[in-house]
Structures are given as C-alpha cells and as structure tokens.
Amino acid sequence: MLKLVVLISGGGSNLRALLEAARDTEYPARVVAIGADREADGFEHAEAFGIPTFSVPFGGFADRESWGAEMLAQIRQWQPDLVVLSGFMRLFPASVVDALAPHMINTHPAYLPEFPGAHGVRDALRAGVEQTGASVIVVDSGVDSGPILAQERIPVLPGDSEASLHDRVKVVERRLLIQTILDIATGRIDLTEKSPA
Ligand code: GAR
C-alpha cells in the first residue's frame, strides 16, 4: 500500500477524485495527510474523508529555503512513499526537491513541455492552439520540466473559456493521476528510473 501525502493550494477537485478512487479497497494507495501553503479551500475534502492536514503559509517565513525546510519536516512526519502535488502553486527550493526526488509527482493542465507554469490553460488559449492536454510528471528543480509519466491531448473547442477548457482538462488530469499512482504502486512505473536530471 503506497502512502501518499498530497499538497494543494486551491479547491482540490483533483484531490477529491483521488480520495474517492482510494476509497476502493482494491486501489493500492492511501492518502495519509494533505498539506498546503495556505488555508486552502480543498481542506474541506480532507475533513470529509477524515484525513489530517497541515498548512505552512509561505508568508510566515523569511525566505523560500526556510519555508521549504518546514514543509519538508511536515511531509516527513507522515513517512510517505510518494508526494503528490495536486494544484500546489508554489515552487519548492532545490533542497526540498533533492530530498524527495524522484518520489514527488505533479499534475499540470497542459501537454508539457508546452505551456509550463502557473497558467497552463490560459497560455494555451491565448496561443490559439487547436489542442492542449494534461500531464503528470516527476518534480525536478525546474518549472514543470521533470520526466513525463503520462499525458494526453485534449481539443480546444470553439468558444472555450479558460474555465470551460480547464474543466475538461481536469477530467483527463484526474484519470491520468489516479492511473499513474496505480502504476507506481504496482511497479508498472519505476520512479527510480525516472530520476530528474
Ligand atoms: C489543476 O488543473 C492542476 O493541474 C493545476 O491546478 C489545478 C488544480 O485544480 N496545477 C498547476 O497549474 C500547477 N502548475 P484543483 O484544485 O481543482 O484540483
């Protein structure tokens, strides 16, 4: 059974989908704690599923390094096999990435390496592309630049807004995330072969 710590910053709808998947006793992973860099709205899902939370607000620290050290200490308390960034909108310092790699994955609402960063859906819309996508990657010390574990194309439809496109992207992201964690738990994906550069 793979022990997961999931980190969020926002509403946590993808986290919710993972929690629902992990309710199935056949699913080989369990969320043991949910963390955030703020009092995230998505903590409501933690409460609904009876899962402990921790928050380490970025503003309470002198710099990224000391904030990251506290995040790492909180994560390690739970001794996770895998850390899942699910809408976690803050970059870790390299010290944290190095400490957890390659056992930290991230979901991204674009077909990486296209449109990395905090606005993957908006950037794809503005670029006028006919299709974008969703990706699950290993976290490295760059911005959405780690090894790709799973990804899928999603068409941009005429009249799409950022919200309508993001909603469709998230449907795919959830499926990819749940499948990728399953593949890691069952050994179909070996993260040690995917170490970030
Ligand atoms: C997801 O689309 C996730 O890929 C994205 O934030 C959303 C979180 O949605 N993350 C990034 O853009 C990271 N660069 P949720 O809070 O409803 O799960």
Side-chain angles (χ1 to χ4, degrees):
M1 187 63 67
L2 207 66
K3 286 166 64 182
L4 312 176
V5 166
V6 181
L7 302 183
I8 60 170
S9 294
S13 68
N14 290 357
L15 160 70
R16 173 102 196 180
L18 177 59
L19 290 170
E20 282 166 4
R23 216 162 22 194
D24 183 342
T25 51
E26 305 269 292
Y27 192 75
R30 292 287 171 270
V31 180
V32 296
I34 296 164
D37 59 328
R38 63 196 78 181
E39 281 304 315
D41 290 346
F43 279 163
E44 69 177 292
H45 308 304
E47 198 176 329
F49 282 74
I51 294 173
T53 61
F54 58 90
S55 80
V56 184
F58 188 74
F61 293 82
D63 52 33
R64 185 174 302 276
E65 200 59 48
S66 48
W67 166 78
E70 179 58 22
M71 281 296 294
L72 183 61
Q74 294 280 341
I75 291 165
R76 280 187 161 152
Q77 277 196 1
W78 299 97
Q79 301 185 315
D81 302 301
L82 184 69
V83 177
V84 179
L85 308 189
S86 184
F88 186 67
M89 302 306 283
R90 187 89 51 190
L91 285 179
F92 278 128
S95 55
V96 174
V97 175
D98 291 347
L100 296 173
H103 303 285
M104 179 157 61
I105 65 173
N106 186 25
T107 65
H108 185 72
Y111 199 86
L112 291 168
E114 299 168 8
F115 310 114
H119 304 291
V121 178
R122 188 183 308 169
D123 293 344
L125 261 186
R126 284 193 180 154
V129 292
E130 287 180 1
Q131 50 179 2
T132 181
S135 306
V136 180
I137 61 171
V138 179
V139 176
D140 71 1
S141 54
V143 178
D144 299 323
S145 53
I148 292 165
L149 300 174
Q151 62 184 169
E152 196 169 307
R153 284 289 187 190
I154 297 150
V156 179
L157 301 180
D160 252 338
S161 65
E162 185 176 346
S164 68
L165 180 55
H166 203 165
D167 282 349
R168 284 206 321 287
V169 167
K170 282 189 189 181
V171 171
V172 176
E173 271 189 85
R174 290 171 195 144
R175 178 163 44 74
L176 293 181
L177 179 63
I178 290 164
Q179 182 65 45
T180 299
I181 293 170
L182 178 74
D183 288 346
I184 293 169
T186 55
R188 265 192 297 265
I189 291 177
D190 180 357
L191 284 179
T192 61
E193 290 174 358
K194 310 270 182 189
S195 295

